[in-house]
Amino acid sequence: MLDIISISKTFNPGTINAKTAISGLSLHLDQGDFVTIIGSNGAGKSTLFNAIAGAFYVDDGAILLDGKDITFVPEHRRSRIIGRLFQDPLKGTAPGMTIEENLALAYLRSTENSHPFSRISRRDKDIFRERLRLLGMGLENRMKQPVGLLSGGQRQALTLLMATLVTPRILLLDEHTAALDPATADKVLELTREIVAKENITCLMITHNMKQALELGNRTFMMANGDIVLDVGGEERRHMTVDDLLTRFREEAGHALDNDRILLSR
């Protein structure tokens, strides 16, 4: 489904500020894999997401999706098949536009149409309303309201809906609940779990919560120095504790995990 083959990326090459963010990273995902990703700051997590999404082209290696080489496909074309949520709820939506207009843009971008609002039918709007109703936030009754009036949790739930309105081939979740209060974060996380399972979406989710990383999905990656140093799944993962995960990371990476935010979330 997704094959990443020995990709590398160095920023500011040939200068004193040169920084190798990804080094020889490879991975394979099957359809429906839900992978949680743990790693310290600078481990390469968000850089990996940017490489998959096409925010930049990698220096070496290849990225294949469903057997098609997308290594040099531009970001705007990848966005039709790759959904993404960021930590900041303010990203991913247009605050001055209504809920309905934001959904229309997401729907028509994913279906490769143009001239957005002239092509949204009454049936499309009914679908938007029904999908909003499933969020359980009452947004189906506020479709004409600007998104800027929504709370952070409502905006993040809306962004999740926009990213999955047309089922993406891959969904990238970059700590998408980290900026929310605990109750709202739990709600958005449960919505995430339900949507990903229902649509059998292949998903990668960066998280700082190690317990969450073992409970969600079917695989866990741990990253360090721009590469995946640990990939656990199946029976091994089902019986693994947070302490087991930390021990395996130390064995594979050659050093202990040193991110206080991750360690305090145990």
Side-chain angles (χ1 to χ4, degrees):
M1 190 276 176
L2 176 68
D3 287 285
I4 294 180
I5 305 167
S6 299
I7 62 169
S8 297
K9 180 64 180 180
T10 298
F11 295 101
N12 304 310
T15 73
I16 194 172
N17 296 316
K19 167 66 177 177
T20 298
I22 297 180
S23 179
L25 185 150
S26 296
L27 66 83
H28 170 78
L29 299 184
D30 291 320
Q31 177 62 44
D33 271 347
F34 187 160
V35 180
T36 55
I37 304 176
I38 287 279
S40 300
N41 293 336
K45 306 180 302 295
S46 292
T47 307
L48 171 61
F49 276 19
N50 285 332
I52 295 171
F56 54 74
Y57 295 148
V58 295
D59 299 330
D60 299 292
I63 302 172
L64 281 68
L65 181 60
D66 295 326
K68 178 182 177 182
D69 191 338
I70 63 168
T71 309
F72 298 107
V73 173
E75 183 176 18
H76 72 274
R77 287 181 54 197
R78 295 193 209 185
S79 69
R80 295 170 180 166
I81 55 174
I82 298 176
R84 187 172 185 181
L85 271 72
F86 297 89
Q87 180 175 331
D88 186 352
L90 300 182
K91 292 185 177 181
T93 55
M97 300 175 69
T98 67
I99 293 173
E100 181 180 294
E101 289 168 343
N102 273 268
L103 288 169
L105 285 175
Y107 175 72
L108 291 164
R109 182 189 69 240
S110 298
T111 52
E112 302 187 36
N113 284 314
S114 56
H115 309 296
F117 305 112
S118 63
R119 298 197 179 196
I120 292 298
S121 67
R122 183 178 297 276
R123 180 175 178 276
D124 293 330
K125 293 179 182 180
D126 289 341
I127 292 173
F128 296 167
R129 187 172 287 104
E130 176 59 21
R131 295 290 294 273
L132 286 166
R133 186 187 66 78
L134 295 175
L135 297 180
M137 295 181 170
L139 299 182
E140 68 276 13
N141 301 316
R142 301 172 62 183
M143 287 178 62
K144 298 297 183 182
Q145 291 190 3
V147 168
L149 297 179
L150 302 182
S151 68
Q154 289 171 331
R155 285 185 72 159
Q156 201 68 313
L158 176 61
T159 305
L160 175 63
L161 178 55
M162 290 169 62
T164 57
L165 191 60
V166 176
T167 305
R169 300 298 298 131
I170 302 172
L171 180 62
L172 305 175
L173 306 173
D174 195 344
E175 293 198 73
H176 70 305
T177 62
L180 307 177
D181 65 83
T184 305
D186 287 344
K187 172 66 173 176
V188 172
L189 202 59
E190 184 56 32
L191 288 170
T192 302
R193 190 200 307 261
E194 291 174 1
I195 290 172
V196 169
K198 180 181 178 182
E199 304 298 335
N200 193 35
I201 298 171
T202 303
C203 181
L204 289 159
M205 186 183 84
I206 296 171
T207 177
H208 68 271
N209 188 308
M210 298 190 72
K211 186 170 183 290
Q212 188 182 89
L214 288 172
E215 291 176 346
L216 287 170
N218 65 312
R219 291 170 70 182
T220 295
F221 292 168
M222 295 195 75
M223 295 187 64
N225 303 317
D227 199 6
I228 297 168
V229 297
L230 183 63
D231 175 2
V232 292
E235 198 67 21
E236 178 186 16
R237 182 176 181 267
R238 277 191 288 274
H239 296 288
M240 185 171 274
T241 65
V242 170
D243 286 337
D244 293 336
L245 195 59
L246 288 170
T247 299
R248 285 291 308 281
F249 177 84
R250 184 171 61 250
E251 292 171 351
E252 299 296 334
H255 60 82
L257 188 68
D258 59 358
N259 185 291
D260 290 341
R261 184 181 176 207
I262 293 174
L263 295 173
L264 290 172
S265 72
R266 296 172 60 186

